[in-house]
Amino acid sequence: MAILKVIEVLSSSEKSWEDATKKAVTHASKSLKNIRSVYVQDQSASIKDNAVAEFRVNLKITFEIE
């Protein structure tokens, strides 16, 4: 039987929401093992000079506890 834990992570990128998601998983994988899935809960963007300056995501990362 596997025990899974879910944590909430915030991440951002100047490129895209997908890039922000990839950055979050890459960073989380440095301290978490056995990441199983990621769920994008929210997406938002900040605006500067009438253009998108930063893409933001609120993620839930699920990983297995050993």
Side-chain angles (χ1 to χ4, degrees):
M1 178 176 120
I3 296 176
L4 304 175
K5 183 171 183 172
V6 179
I7 61 170
E8 192 168 340
V9 177
L10 305 174
S11 182
S12 63
S13 169
E14 293 179 354
K15 295 180 185 178
S16 66
W17 286 296
E18 291 84 0
D19 188 55
T21 301
K22 289 178 183 179
K23 283 183 175 182
V25 172
T26 299
H27 191 72
S29 68
K30 292 177 183 176
S31 60
L32 299 175
K33 295 180 182 178
N34 305 319
I35 294 176
R36 294 275 186 96
S37 66
V38 60
Y39 170 73
V40 178
Q41 185 173 348
D42 288 311
Q43 296 175 320
S44 63
S46 64
I47 305 298
K48 185 176 180 180
D49 298 326
N50 296 321
V52 174
E54 184 178 57
F55 297 90
R56 298 174 180 164
V57 291
N58 182 345
L59 308 168
K60 292 194 179 221
I61 295 177
T62 303
F63 60 99
E64 183 177 346
I65 297 175
E66 295 179 346

